[in-house]
Structures are given as structure tokens and as C-alpha cells.
Amino acid sequence: MSSPKPVHAPQTQFPVVDDCLQVGGIALTRLAQRVGSTPFYAYDRALLTERVAHLRAHLPAGIALHYSIKANPMPALVQHMAGLVDGLDVASGGEMKVALDTGMPAARISFAGPGKSEAELAQALAAGVCVNIESEREIRILARLAQETGVKAAAVVRVNPDFELRSSGMKMGGGAKQFGIDAELVPAMLVLAAAAGIDVLGFQIFSGSQSLKADAIMEAQSRTVELALRLAAGAPAPVRQLNIGGGFGIPYFPGEQALDIAPIGAHLAQLQQQVAAALPQAQLAIELGRYLVGEAGVYVARVVDRKLSRGQVFLVTDGGLHHHLAASGNFGQVIRKNYPVAIGNRMAGGERESVSAVGPLCTPLDLLADKMELAQAGPGDLLVVFQSGAYGISASPAAFLGHPPAVEVLV
Ligand SMILES: *Cc1c(COP(=O)(O)O)cnc(C)c1O
């Protein structure tokens, strides 16, 4: 008895007209001409807007939704997102600049990440961006800079929780971590920060990323609120901000299914009441990257060669891991699996065949599809990698092997 082979979740967000994928309402072949070169990333503006609307329809009113720029820092996309969300989360001085350029009020931009430089902290203080404090060193530098410049420092303490998000693709809290301040050390840090004249507005607690299990996310959210209430009891000032992280995933690989947001929204409504009762001044927030932008983007490469090697068909494209490390399986995956891939100008196509799609790099790691059933294709056709709106070009080693960079468009 064999169980059915797991398949990719259907990619229905992009319509197909005359067998050609449409991105941003434009046929992919035409979009490729408009862009002027391949490979490119295309992000669909309407899908970004729809995704935020879908989420808001399930979230309780009054909860703040933040976009984590790290997932996709393309300035035009961040500008679009800034008009849809309540805040932007940045993780470097460079991202802070992109966020400030959107016109988002600085107080609704927060800056997290280990090892912030003195220059970055000074930049944040001058701009009025909220620093998520992750060490005693950051408290000391921020306090000194505030004194030197006469600007009052307001900050949030990022907490490394004493638990983690079960079943997350990337664990970013719990145990020994470089992120945040260990929960058990937070009370002492709050005293230190207050003594140094820093107004601690509240907490950010982020426990993990890329989870497709609503139960696991809800459990982590409950434990996060529990921890925050415990920490708030010893805080010198009332909690005004409480960011409970995110971790919402999107389906990438065969067998994975879209996250069900409805129960998470209902659960957040309960948590919101609990927080309102205990911390009446607190603004509750969640921060999401990939969930907001990942499904709205495709990576498009042109097939330049078709080869047959000992019975295996290879489509050699002009794009690869130097633009899209994650799709090649080399960005944190333990076992390589295929992203959803199609021939964008032959969505149904005629004959289908098992092919491997590779890039032009001289390394076997440069693999975009490993023995996938695709429409028969050859030079000139457009290979599309779905689920590419997050952790794409900015998370790839563009300089590796010296090929030209990919273009990005928002359509
Ligand atoms: C990376 C990161 C996020 C975004 O994670 P996604 O999986 O893209 O949603 C949110 N918050 C913090 C603190 C992060 O480091």
C-alpha cells in the first residue's frame, strides 16, 4: 500500500490566461519584455493588498500589524506595505533608512537585531525610532547617546523567551540565543534601563518563524502573553507596547498546506481582552514578514539550454541560487525540497516530463527544480518559481560567480 505522493499546495493566486501566467494583471511573456531582461522578481501589488485585508478580516480590531522589512526590503514594496500596515520592523541601519523614507512615523518603526552599532543606535535615537534593546551594552550606549544629544530615549526590551515556537521552520527564541535578553534577566535590565533614564515602553517577544500549525502559534502566543504579564508586574513603568511576534508561515513544499488564520484571530481576540484587563495602556502588536509578502512574488528565469544527460532532461536557465538561494535549498533547509515551479508561458502545456531546472553557476547546488513534472520546455521559455516574495534576492549571494544581478519589479 502506498500513500499518495505529497503535492505542492495549488498556486491559485496568479490567474492563467491563454496558458500564460498573469502577474499584476500582465501576461508573464509581456511582463518579461517590459522588464527588459531576465531573470527578475515580480511582486504583485494587488496580492499584497489582498493579503493584508485577509489578515485584518480575521484579526481583532485594535491589534497593530507590523511588517518586518527583512522579508523583502525592496523600497517600492516597503512603500506599498507602509500604506497598509501599522508599523515597520527593521533590523539594520540600512533597513531603517528604507522604512523612514516611506513616511511611516518614526515612533511606529522598531529596530531589532543583535550587535547594533553605536552609529545605528545614534541613527535610531535621532530619528525617534523605537530601539528593541537586546543587551546591557545597548542600554548603556543608548543612555549615553541620549544624554549627549539631549534626546529622551524610548525603547522596548526584546525578550528571549523561556520557550520556543513548536514546529517552526526557524527557531528564534527559547534556550540559549543571541537574540534578546533572557527572560530571567529582564527584571534587572528594566531597573538598569530606568536608572539610565530610558523610558521602557514595553516588550517584544518573538519565538519563531515559518510555522504552518495554528495550534503551535496560538500556544506560543498564549505563553508570550503570560510571560509579558509576569515581566510587566516588576516593570518600573506601565507597559504601553507589547509585540508578541509572528511566525505565520506559508506553504513551500509538497505536502504543506496554508495556515488557517481564523482560529488564530479568534484566539488573539481573547488574548487582547486579557492584555487590556492587566495592562490597560498596552498596544498589542504582531509582526510578520514572509506571510505578508511571500506568496505575492515570483522569480522568473529564462531557459537558455535544454540538455539530456544519461536519460535526465536538464533545463539550464539564466537564473539560479545567486538570486534565489532559498529555492535552491540552501537557505536553512535540512533536506532539499522543491519550491513550486512551473513553465510560466506553458502553464498546462502539452506533453509533461520530469526535468531538473538548474542555473548557470558551476556548482551542483545551483538547482531550482529537482526532477519535477513540468510542461515540456526549451530555450526561450520562462521558468517561474512561486512563493518567492520573501527572502529572495536580498537573502542570496548575488556576487557568487559574477553573473548579472536580477531585476525587481512591483506590478
Ligand atoms: C525575521 C523576523 C521576523 C519575520 O519573520 P517571518 O518569518 O518573515 O515572518 C519578525 N520578527 C523578528 C524579530 C525577526 O527577526
Side-chain angles (χ1 to χ4, degrees):
M1 298 283 276
S2 66
S3 46
K5 205 173 149 208
V7 294
H8 284 108
Q11 297 294 312
T12 51
Q13 68 271 46
F14 300 99
V16 174
V17 177
D18 293 335
D19 212 23
C20 188
L21 197 72
Q22 312 278 305
V23 177
I26 304 169
L28 195 67
T29 44
R30 177 136 181 214
L31 182 61
Q33 287 173 336
R34 179 181 131 176
V35 173
S37 61
T38 52
F40 62 90
Y41 277 91
Y43 314 118
D44 189 317
R45 216 182 271 273
L47 288 178
L48 296 167
T49 304
E50 267 172 39
R51 175 49 65 103
V52 172
H54 166 74
L55 193 58
R56 295 248 197 226
H58 290 287
L59 292 180
I63 195 160
L65 175 62
H66 290 200
Y67 172 53
S68 295
I69 290 188
K70 176 178 85 192
N72 189 328
M74 183 209 192
L77 179 141
V78 176
Q79 182 74 56
H80 183 72
M81 296 305 291
L84 302 172
V85 299
D86 307 302
L88 297 172
D89 293 339
V90 303
S92 70
E95 287 189 355
M96 196 189 319
K97 184 180 178 312
V98 173
L100 287 165
D101 282 349
T102 65
M104 175 68 77
R108 293 202 256 136
I109 299 173
S110 64
F111 177 22
K116 296 177 196 73
S117 70
E118 180 160 339
E120 287 173 321
L121 291 167
Q123 211 184 328
L125 185 68
V129 163
C130 178
V131 173
N132 291 4
I133 292 174
E134 311 212 14
S135 73
E136 187 174 332
R137 168 189 160 273
E138 290 182 359
I139 294 176
R140 294 196 191 286
I141 294 178
L142 202 58
R144 177 169 51 75
L145 290 170
Q147 203 170 31
E148 284 168 9
T149 56
V151 176
K152 175 93 182 155
V156 154
V157 169
R158 177 167 178 187
V159 182
N160 175 25
D162 41 14
F163 58 88
E164 56 192 28
L165 172 56
R166 282 187 298 118
S167 83
S168 70
M170 233 174 255
K171 298 197 190 333
M172 292 189 55
K177 286 282 181 298
Q178 72 268 49
F179 309 111
I181 292 170
D182 292 347
E184 55 278 22
L185 302 179
V186 167
M189 290 293 169
L190 291 174
V191 171
L192 189 73
I198 297 173
D199 184 16
V200 176
L201 301 172
F203 305 106
Q204 180 215 15
I205 309 177
F206 181 78
S207 56
S209 182
Q210 179 50 22
S211 174
L212 291 169
K213 301 235 160 67
D215 286 355
I217 290 173
M218 292 188 284
E219 180 196 306
Q221 288 173 336
S222 292
R223 298 186 70 176
T224 299
V225 167
E226 237 169 72
L227 173 59
L229 296 187
R230 232 186 310 137
L231 294 174
V239 172
R240 283 144 288 165
Q241 291 187 18
L242 178 54
N243 181 328
I244 61 168
F248 299 14
I250 61 172
Y252 287 104
F253 306 122
E256 292 185 343
Q257 270 158 24
L259 179 65
D260 184 4
I261 295 295
I264 297 176
H267 180 70
L268 277 172
Q270 288 173 14
L271 290 180
Q272 193 181 32
Q273 287 184 1
Q274 199 186 336
V275 169
L279 310 171
Q281 294 185 43
Q283 167 68 58
L284 194 59
I286 60 170
E287 57 181 3
L288 300 172
R290 160 190 346 255
Y291 182 82
L292 297 181
V293 299
E295 302 197 86
V298 289
Y299 174 62
V300 182
R302 199 176 289 280
V303 177
V304 290
D305 205 351
R306 176 190 167 92
K307 297 176 67 175
L308 188 65
S309 171
R310 307 208 163 110
Q312 176 66 46
V313 178
F314 285 88
L315 296 176
V316 186
T317 71
D318 58 4
L321 78 74
H322 52 312
H323 303 149
H324 204 333
L325 188 66
S328 77
N330 295 293
F331 188 59
Q333 295 96 320
V334 180
I335 300 167
R336 190 197 177 285
K337 291 180 189 154
N338 289 323
Y339 266 48
V341 166
I343 305 299
N345 56 312
R346 301 176 192 276
M347 288 303 290
E351 288 276 293
R352 296 183 82 78
E353 61 182 357
S354 167
V355 298
S356 290
V358 300
L361 304 191
C362 238
T363 161
L365 299 177
D366 194 10
L367 189 57
L368 293 174
D370 184 22
K371 299 189 185 77
M372 277 182 90
E373 285 282 317
L374 298 180
Q376 234 177 41
D381 286 324
L382 296 170
L383 185 94
V384 174
V385 182
F386 293 100
Q387 307 296 76
S388 297
Y391 304 105
I393 196 168
S394 67
S396 301
F400 190 35
L401 270 128
H403 288 278
V407 176
E408 290 179 284
V409 290
L410 179 68
V411 282

